[in-house]
Amino acid sequence: MNLKKLTVTSCLLLGASALPAMAQDDTSALCGGSGADALWAGGTQDMSDISSAEDYLGLVGNIPAGGELTTLFTVSSPIMVRMEAAPTESGDTVIELQDANGMYILSDDDGGGFLSSRAEAQLDPGTYCLVATSYDGADLLAELRVSRMEHETLTSGSSGGYSAVCEPSTEATPFRPEGALDSVLAEGISSTNTISQTPFYRFTLDSTQSLSITAENPNADPVLSLYDDFGQLLAENDDFDGLNSRIDFIDGLQAGTYCIALESLSDEFAPVTVTVSEFSEQQYMQNLYNMADASPPLDGSYPVEALGTLDTRLRRDVRDGDNLTWFSFEVTESGLVLIEGIATAGSDPMLTLFDDLGRRIDQNDDIGGSYDSQIAARVNPGTYVLAVGRPGGYYGTPGMTRLAIQRFVTAQ
């Protein structure tokens, strides 16, 4: 649902009296390509450090149909950061946070209340990309805001933020009554209950552990949050894998007591499986591949079908499933590639195109008011990687996508 290029029709610096001149730094390599043509939240890189900003930072800009609007900001010292997006008139925003290397950190759809987006996270020093898209792929004008917790909010939040807030006095079900989770993280430990029945779990760690927490059942559309023993929000996620949620603590969660808070954005009586397990780099990367947030390597460690050299036109029928289907193809001279995903038998495909270095070139979901998808991209000689399918899988009956890739060369 992201395009590498965007056109900003209205860009206003918020929280300041005027808009400084835009920085001329090359940001194209930031955030796996999402930084290309992105705007600094404070107008320039020097003015975009949210750790020291006197007020919130942000902008108003256009999210083109099927595209994205990205703002960059920096963190100079560890701090809790609030990130928000809201349509200025109509529409439904979705936000995603990436670090400078393009690694996914979090995403949110309606955490800001109604159709606005909002998420809070403790961030370490570095550069970050806040990427906003339109949920239905429609063109919309949106405001993006990055702030500290004491700054004014853009959105009201879901009941002032997600309602499932875990404070020290909140009653919570022990996730493992036998004791700390350290000894069972390698195999993982799960609990399945409805959110209406069990909205909170508590667990303890005896030592620092790199771990992952997931909440799964798309019928419930769970929101997953983690609080420390003082009631401080540490991380939050809505839709990581389709409508399922996931939080990763790659650098480790310190010894202590923690509270998992759950909220359902759909059916609160649907059973949700919550799992806490040892962080797996392999599983983490596979999830990124299956969400088209990153492209897999071409070394044979992940299934990618090589289509060979694209001379004129290739066609494939791709069966829809829970995982994206990946293809690679070669281009021998500069020109234009037209890729079409034709929806058949109830399919709703999405296409995502990367170059061989993993830079996302283009992405498209629905075009021309249909469920078909289409990418037209200028290409140079090289290898290209294409994802076909619905990130997070299909919740109805899977269908079939008719894939067509056609190459055009410049007239001589």
Side-chain angles (χ1 to χ4, degrees), residues 201-215:
Y201 293 95
R202 285 195 196 278
F203 68 88
T204 60
L205 297 174
D206 287 338
S207 60
T208 300
Q209 299 287 343
S210 295
L211 55 80
S212 300
I213 307 172
T214 59

Side-chain angles (χ1 to χ4, degrees), residues 32 52 64-65 79-80 98 128-129 147 187 196 204 212 221 243 252 257 272 288 319 331 363 372 382 386 399 410:
S52 59
I79 194 170
M80 181 66 70
Q98 301 175 14
Y128 297 88
C129 287
S147 60
E187 295 182 357
S196 63
T204 60
S212 300
D221 191 2
L243 298 180
T257 300
V272 172
L288 291 182
R319 183 72 174 172
V331 173
Q363 187 177 70
D372 297 342
L386 175 69
T410 304

Side-chain angles (χ1 to χ4, degrees), residues 240-257:
F240 178 86
D241 180 9
L243 298 180
N244 296 321
S245 301
R246 178 186 179 107
I247 296 173
D248 294 289
F249 289 91
I250 302 174
D251 296 328
L253 195 61
Q254 295 180 352
T257 300

Side-chain angles (χ1 to χ4, degrees), residues 174-245:
F175 201 76
R176 185 175 184 246
E178 298 91 333
L181 300 188
D182 303 65
S183 63
V184 297
L185 288 176
E187 295 182 357
I189 180 172
S190 299
S191 181
T192 302
N193 292 288
T194 67
I195 292 179
S196 63
Q197 176 186 6
T198 311
F200 302 101
Y201 293 95
R202 285 195 196 278
F203 68 88
T204 60
L205 297 174
D206 287 338
S207 60
T208 300
Q209 299 287 343
S210 295
L211 55 80
S212 300
I213 307 172
T214 59
E216 299 176 297
N217 188 339
N219 293 325
D221 191 2
V223 177
L224 174 64
S225 306
L226 187 71
Y227 292 82
D228 65 16
D229 203 30
F230 301 98
Q232 178 71 45
L233 178 66
L234 300 179
E236 189 172 75
N237 179 255
D238 179 8
D239 300 328
F240 178 86
D241 180 9
L243 298 180
N244 296 321
S245 301

Side-chain angles (χ1 to χ4, degrees), residues 39 70 100 113 121 303 393:
L39 302 171
T70 302

